[in-house]
Amino acid sequence: MNSITSNIKERYQKISSTIKEKASFLLPLWSFLKKYGAFLAYFNPKRYIKILDWYIIKKFIGTYIFSIILIISVAIVFDVNENLARFAQYHAPLKAIVFDYYANFVPYFANLFSPLFVFIAVIFFTSKLAGNSEIISILAAGVSFKRLMRPYMISCALISILSYYLSSNVIPHGTVIRQNFEALYKNKTKTTSADNTLLQVDKGVIASIQHYDNNSKRGYGFSLDKFENKKLVSHLTATEIQYDTISDTKYHWTISNWKIRKLEGLKEKITTGSQRDTIIMMEPTDIVYSKGQQETFTSAQLQDYISKQIDRGSSNVVQYQVEYHKRIASSFASFILTTIGLSLSSRKRKGGMGLYMGIGLALSFGYIMLQTVSATFAINANTPPIIAAWIPNIIFSLVAYFCYRKAPN
């Protein structure tokens, strides 16, 4: 009996020592959790998101997605009805219509009217909650109006992050494909050339192109002048200039039938050649500008383009600045319009949600119209772009604050 007991003890000791050896790497993690566990628990989502929050978040997101599907479906039907004759006239393939046009049409307009969809979703499901006396029950249980707003703001944060990501990274690439489709199969004119272009490509370096064709990425009648202390020190001319589209880096050009005149005091040195690869600090987008071109740039590309054009002293940069700031400002519209919608529809009234839905639509369209008007102010009235982009948010924030103060009463 004693031998059996000793064997069991030996096996137990071996197993325990093996477990300790294999689990030794977990000791630092255990000590970290023991030390900072209380601090990490402070950021645990379950600490803030309760059953009530999940209930409202599911209602909010579900109604938001449903409203997008419903309204965009109607918009697609109207768009197909309007453009079907053109698609048939220009022999647009079905695959291109579905994947090149409508697959990029839906995200663009869904994100453009996202504030409208958010407002409709809030008005719709909050009015139903109020009509079923659920809001009254929540407030009667001791939940304050401020606490009631928490799941709404969490939902807005998710929608805003998604909206900003789409507008900054995804939609610009789709817009390029959609615009190319429209140029091919909807006969929409697209600027593909430029004449007598003059631009500063670097400090003291001026480029001139008599004619540039963006389809072939080729220019004719090119010259490049370099100045030092307001004196011409180099003059390059070329009959043709071709942009290298397959290069791994930017600014690669090939010049043909070139001549360089270098001025050194009273002396002049002339060098000629038939073809030469060179680096010139300009791109095709700097030469040819088409309407809505700023919508085809990602936010990183916009920022790079704006800083580059400012360094060159170009005045054709305001619409790019407005687009950059508008993407940031639009992502905050969900918070403002949700506050207004919740404040208006949280009270149970006779007549249902028709009145609030009408008010919501009017405010949402007013916000979108104000965005367009403020952008025009920046382009034509010298309003700072950042102020023009944030004017709708500032005005509607005041409306939201007034509604929020009146809602608990």
Side-chain angles (χ1 to χ4, degrees):
M1 187 70 181
N2 292 330
S3 61
I4 294 172
T5 306
S6 61
N7 288 334
I8 293 172
K9 286 183 178 179
E10 288 177 4
R11 289 181 180 180
Y12 174 76
Q13 288 175 356
K14 287 181 180 179
I15 292 170
S16 62
S17 62
T18 305
I19 293 172
K20 286 180 180 178
E21 288 177 3
K22 291 184 177 181
S24 59
F25 72 95
L26 293 175
L27 292 176
L29 178 62
W30 172 252
S31 60
F32 176 81
L33 292 175
K34 194 174 180 181
K35 187 175 181 180
Y36 298 102
F39 177 75
L40 294 174
Y42 185 79
F43 295 99
N44 188 355
K46 292 183 179 180
R47 177 186 175 93
Y48 304 99
I49 304 178
K50 307 298 182 182
I51 296 175
L52 173 64
D53 300 317
W54 281 117
Y55 176 72
I56 293 178
I57 289 171
K58 289 177 183 177
K59 290 276 188 181
F60 194 152
I61 301 298
T63 310
Y64 172 75
I65 295 173
F66 176 77
S67 63
I68 287 178
I69 294 173
L70 182 64
I71 297 176
I72 291 297
S73 299
V74 174
I76 290 175
V77 170
F78 279 101
D79 190 80
V80 169
N81 184 56
E82 181 182 353
N83 295 308
L84 189 59
R86 288 186 179 180
F87 293 158
Q89 179 183 356
Y90 293 101
H91 307 288
L94 181 62
K95 183 179 178 181
I97 294 173
V98 174
F99 294 102
D100 292 349
Y101 184 65
Y102 284 109
N104 297 301
F105 171 91
V106 171
Y108 175 79
F109 282 95
N111 195 66
L112 178 65
F113 294 104
S114 181
L116 172 64
F117 300 137
V118 167
F119 207 109
I120 290 174
V122 172
I123 292 287
F124 186 80
F125 87 87
T126 305
S127 297
K128 287 192 69 175
L129 293 179
N132 296 332
S133 300
E134 293 181 66
I135 299 291
I136 295 173
S137 302
I138 293 170
L139 297 176
V143 177
S144 65
F145 189 78
K146 182 179 179 181
R147 172 63 181 83
L148 179 63
M149 290 186 66
R150 182 189 295 176
Y152 286 86
M153 295 298 106
I154 293 172
S155 303
C156 288
L158 297 175
I159 293 171
S160 297
I161 292 170
L162 177 62
S163 176
Y164 180 73
Y165 176 76
L166 288 174
S167 62
S168 299
N169 299 287
V170 178
I171 293 176
H173 298 295
T175 302
V176 175
I177 299 172
R178 182 172 56 84
Q179 288 182 353
N180 291 335
F181 176 91
E182 290 175 344
L184 285 173
Y185 302 113
K186 291 182 67 177
N187 197 26
K188 281 197 171 183
T189 56
K190 186 178 180 180
T191 305
T192 58
S193 63
D195 295 311
N196 300 321
T197 303
L198 186 71
L199 68 155
Q200 180 176 323
V201 297
D202 201 357
K203 186 176 181 181
V205 181
I206 307 297
S208 173
I209 303 178
Q210 292 181 5
H211 178 76
Y212 179 79
D213 182 12
N214 197 43
N215 290 328
S216 60
K217 300 291 188 291
R218 183 182 295 270
Y220 305 92
F222 176 74
S223 67
L224 190 71
D225 297 324
K226 184 177 181 181
F227 295 85
E228 290 181 2
N229 299 322
K230 299 182 180 180
K231 291 183 179 180
L232 180 66
V233 296
S234 175
H235 176 69
L236 180 148
T237 58
T239 57
E240 291 184 6
I241 181 170
Q242 175 72 50
Y243 185 68
D244 189 355
T245 57
I246 61 174
S247 175
D248 295 332
T249 56
K250 300 188 292 185
Y251 312 128
H252 279 254
W253 296 84
T254 301
I255 54 177
S256 302
N257 301 321
W258 56 272
K259 179 193 289 186
I260 300 177
R261 297 171 57 197
K262 287 189 177 181
L263 305 175
E264 300 173 355
L266 297 177
K267 296 181 179 180
E268 182 182 59
K269 182 180 179 182
I270 299 177
T271 308
T272 61
S274 58
Q275 197 172 68
R276 179 177 178 177
D277 294 331
T278 184
I279 300 285
I280 303 174
M281 303 295 287
M282 66 179 185
E283 295 180 89
T285 53
D286 300 328
I287 304 170
V288 178
Y289 171 78
S290 58
K291 185 179 180 181
Q293 180 175 291
Q294 66 273 15
E295 296 177 355
T296 64
F297 290 178
T298 64
S299 290
Q301 291 171 337
L302 272 175
Q303 198 170 17
D304 180 63
Y305 183 86
I306 289 167
S307 60
K308 184 172 65 176
Q309 293 299 98
I310 290 175
D311 292 339
R312 291 174 174 174
S314 174
S315 59
N316 185 27
V317 74
V318 177
Q319 56 266 41
Y320 295 89
Q321 291 175 317
V322 171
E323 178 68 21
Y324 178 79
H325 292 296
K326 188 174 74 173
R327 292 177 182 178
I328 301 173
S330 296
S331 62
F332 285 92
S334 300
F335 295 96
I336 298 169
L337 295 176
T338 296
T339 303
I340 298 173
L342 175 60
S343 303
L344 290 175
S345 59
S346 59
R347 185 181 298 180
K348 185 176 181 180
R349 291 185 175 92
K350 293 180 180 180
M353 68 180 74
L355 176 63
Y356 303 114
M357 190 66 74
I359 295 173
L361 289 171
L363 288 172
S364 299
F365 282 119
Y367 179 87
I368 295 169
M369 184 183 71
L370 194 57
Q371 275 187 325
T372 305
V373 172
S374 61
T376 305
F377 286 157
I379 296 170
N380 298 325
N382 296 325
T383 305
I386 188 170
I387 295 177
W390 281 88
I391 281 176
N393 283 4
I394 294 170
I395 294 175
F396 276 79
S397 293
L398 299 175
V399 177
Y401 179 75
F402 174 79
C403 293
Y404 172 73
R405 296 293 296 175
K406 293 292 183 181
N409 299 325

